[in-house]
Amino acid sequence: MSRNEFSCDCNVIHQEAVDEVLQKMPNEDTFNHLADLFKLIGDTTRCRILFALDQSEMCVCDLANVLNMTKSSISHQLAVLRRSGVVKCRKSGKEVYYTLDDEHIVKLFEIGLVHINHKG
Amino acid sequence: MSRNEFSCDCNVIHQEAVDEVLQKMPNEDTFNHLADLFKLIGDTTRCRILFALDQSEMCVCDLANVLNMTKSSISHQLAVLRRSGVVKCRKSGKEVYYTLDDEHIVKLFEIGLVHINHKG
DNA sequence: TTGACAGTTGAATAATTATTCATATATAAT
DNA sequence: ATTATATATGAATAATTATTCAACTGTCAA
């Protein structure tokens, strides 16, 4: 199936290395999920929302004030984050309160921040 | 400056929480760099290239075969990764060999993989 | 020197997506 | 009931970007 139809336009130069790496490569789904996760936090607005929610539970208006953006923008991004399962919300009166619902996000941020300090 | 011109279209509901979070928020540049880092690895092709290079030094043709994509595609993405300083290359004869040049990338992948296994 | 191969790169195309705008819903207050 | 507020959401717009295609450079071999 996947290995029988070739899209690459060149020959293998180091067959051993290629075979060895091919064996260790995770499947397509894994890479798609991995890329989706990083894509999710690869946006300034979502980064800031998640960072804020890591400090404190917040409603949409508070987030809009912290980020200095419209409620609509924030709400759209919160919907994305909610669909991906990294934040959860509870309703109380007119307001909807959001919290971070994923332990790994903060760890990724920590390593990311170390990375930034190491480079320019 | 940044706090005097308001783009948000609502009032603060919880002033204390907002102030506290605002104090702890990193600056704009930090979030931009952080988002750029995650954007960099938030692409299936680049994920696979980086994963492959973590296993073994490889030339462009080998990578094209491992990923089953054209040399041109791979080369374009390698250029992106090179500009961001996460891979480096050495030339030998006709070939150009790429290696991973960033300790943090692998750590981010590890956490990402744990994340995937925890969720769907 | 000619041809083949490895790799790069600019331009074009296609796809994705963040924000805005307008509107809709639900809750609270008057 | 009516009005104001908090939030959500669909559609449109604008910006970003991954891949393809074509052309180019540099290296090796004959």
Side-chain angles (χ1 to χ4, degrees):
Chain A
M1 310 273 270
S2 54
R3 277 278 86 195
N4 286 348
E5 10 166 316
F6 292 103
S7 301
C8 74
D9 52 353
C10 55
N11 295 322
V12 173
I13 295 183
H14 307 86
Q15 191 69 55
E16 280 183 51
V18 169
D19 288 344
E20 198 187 313
V21 169
L22 271 174
Q23 270 192 341
K24 295 186 182 169
M25 291 290 275
N27 60 37
E28 197 184 315
D29 275 357
T30 302
F31 279 118
N32 286 335
H33 289 141
L34 204 56
D36 282 347
L37 169 64
F38 293 127
K39 215 173 290 177
L40 188 72
I41 55 177
D43 173 84
T44 308
T45 301
R46 287 193 293 271
C47 267
R48 296 202 294 160
I49 290 175
L50 292 167
F51 202 98
L53 293 182
D54 183 43
Q55 310 294 325
S56 167
E57 179 184 65
M58 296 197 119
C59 67
V60 179
C61 274
D62 288 343
L63 281 168
N65 276 276
V66 168
L67 302 209
N68 202 30
M69 293 176 71
T70 62
K71 285 179 294 182
S72 181
S73 267
I74 300 290
S75 189
H76 273 295
Q77 295 302 338
L78 284 170
V80 172
L81 295 170
R82 195 160 9 96
R83 272 180 238 123
S84 301
V86 296
V87 305
K88 67 176 176 221
C89 60
R90 85 184 156 82
K91 208 169 177 176
S92 171
K94 274 185 296 186
E95 288 113 40
V96 179
Y97 292 91
Y98 283 83
T99 48
L100 196 51
D101 190 30
D102 190 305
E103 335 99 70
H104 303 113
I105 298 296
V106 178
K107 289 185 187 175
L108 292 173
F109 280 167
E110 281 168 9
I111 295 176
L113 289 171
V114 172
H115 180 275
I116 289 170
N117 291 335
H118 269 242
K119 310 243 170 180
Chain B
M1 309 274 271
S2 54
R3 277 277 88 195
N4 286 349
E5 9 164 317
F6 291 103
S7 300
C8 74
D9 53 351
C10 57
N11 295 322
V12 173
I13 295 183
H14 307 86
Q15 190 69 53
E16 279 182 54
V18 169
D19 289 343
E20 198 187 313
V21 169
L22 271 174
Q23 270 191 342
K24 294 187 183 167
M25 291 290 274
N27 60 37
E28 198 184 314
D29 275 356
T30 302
F31 279 119
N32 286 335
H33 289 141
L34 205 57
D36 283 345
L37 169 64
F38 293 128
K39 214 172 292 178
L40 187 73
I41 56 178
D43 173 84
T44 309
T45 301
R46 287 193 294 270
C47 269
R48 296 202 293 159
I49 290 175
L50 292 168
F51 202 98
L53 293 182
D54 184 42
Q55 310 294 324
S56 166
E57 179 184 64
M58 295 197 118
C59 67
V60 179
C61 274
D62 289 343
L63 282 168
N65 275 277
V66 168
L67 302 208
N68 202 30
M69 293 176 71
T70 62
K71 283 179 298 182
S72 182
S73 267
I74 301 290
S75 189
H76 272 296
Q77 295 302 338
L78 283 170
V80 172
L81 295 170
R82 197 160 8 97
R83 272 181 238 124
S84 301
V86 296
V87 305
K88 66 178 176 217
C89 61
R90 86 182 157 82
K91 208 168 176 178
S92 170
K94 274 187 295 187
E95 289 115 40
V96 179
Y97 293 91
Y98 283 84
T99 46
L100 196 51
D101 189 31
D102 189 305
E103 333 100 68
H104 304 111
I105 298 296
V106 178
K107 290 185 185 173
L108 292 173
F109 280 167
E110 283 168 8
I111 296 176
L113 289 170
V114 172
H115 179 273
I116 289 170
N117 290 335
H118 269 241
K119 310 244 169 178

